[in-house]
Amino acid sequence: MEIIIQANPEAASGIAARFVARLLRAKPDAVLGLATGSTPLRLYRKLVQEKLDWSRVTTFNLDEYVGLEPGRPQSYHSFMWGNFLHHINIAKKNVHIPDGQVQDIPDFCRRYEEQIRAAGGIDLQVLGIGTDGHIGFNEPASSLASRTRIKPLTNRTRRDNALFFENESQVPHHVITMGIGTIMEAREILLLAFGKNKSGAVARTVEGPITAMNPASVLQMHPAAKMVLDKAAAAKLKKTAYYRWVYENKPDWQKV
Ligand code: GLP
């Protein structure tokens, strides 16, 4: 895993935006995996400012709450369109966000996987991380080989995500999420984590054992995973001096 530590979320998001921009310039019909949450918001703002051409880009979002109408402000549909997709020239038909209202969830999940395959697979998957190490909504004990499916949330995640709702009781218990196996098939992974409440999950992910109890730790097995952190999220890592040295001494051809 490549660990990139920046002074603050602004600088870290700037680097993440450069990775995405570089991909889109090299491959105008790239397939991006997108994440929700407060963490990628600055990245999306910066990508809007970049004025890139999104007309041939395809996107797949990681997850959605089951049972929330897409128009509800807390739905990930509203989040993505409001914070990002409405502000770029993406074609609506190229946007894929799990539908939390479908009747036949297993059938929907199978088709979501097929759509990802038909698009040629995900070139770059953007990820955040939960305080319990979840990626997408793959909670601890998720199969590391899981595919897109319905998943119940832990109380901790419902508590963490309650700030977007009126209160915790409003947070749905179930979600549809890409599986860990699905995420691992992306050709590149860009995980962002900011703030000290993510520092434990980050340290376990980078320097701990690979375990389903900390789902993000599976990224140690990914051949091209980058973690872009602010100082606070990196605070519990042991080898920060080494990670910083590696990043600052990259050969020119590896720099973004
Ligand atoms: C939710 C999302 C994850 C996200 C996590 C962290 O659980 N399903 O994709 O990484 O929240 O959110 P935040 O960035 O707000 O801390």
Side-chain angles (χ1 to χ4, degrees), residues 121-252:
I122 292 172
D123 289 303
L124 175 70
Q125 175 67 56
V126 175
L127 291 177
I129 186 170
T131 55
D132 60 3
H134 72 245
I135 47 177
F137 264 135
N138 294 283
E139 295 283 35
S142 288
S143 159
L144 298 183
S146 50
R147 311 303 306 191
T148 304
R149 69 208 182 293
I150 187 167
K151 188 78 196 161
L153 296 180
T154 61
N155 287 337
R156 181 172 178 176
T157 297
R158 292 185 63 244
R159 207 164 42 238
D160 284 349
N161 288 5
L163 72 141
F164 298 105
F165 292 80
E166 273 151 45
N167 55 57
E168 196 181 319
S169 69
Q170 309 254 306
V171 183
H173 281 273
H174 290 89
V175 294
I176 293 175
T177 181
M178 272 188 209
I180 296 177
T182 323
I183 292 170
M184 285 293 282
E185 280 172 12
R187 286 184 268 279
E188 277 187 273
I189 305 259
L190 187 59
L191 186 149
L192 308 179
F194 307 145
K196 75 169 187 301
N197 67 332
K198 299 291 172 70
S199 60
V202 165
R204 288 191 297 277
T205 296
V206 180
E207 296 175 344
I210 297 175
T211 164
M213 293 315 288
N214 178 44
S217 63
V218 74
L219 298 177
Q220 293 175 24
M221 299 285 292
H222 195 283
K226 290 181 173 45
M227 285 184 87
V228 187
L229 312 171
D230 71 347
K231 238 169 112 180
K236 291 192 177 143
L237 288 170
K238 294 200 183 78
K239 297 218 170 275
T240 42
Y242 172 67
Y243 307 137
R244 283 183 193 283
W245 190 92
V246 170
Y247 184 68
E248 280 156 20
N249 291 279
K250 271 176 178 289
D252 281 344

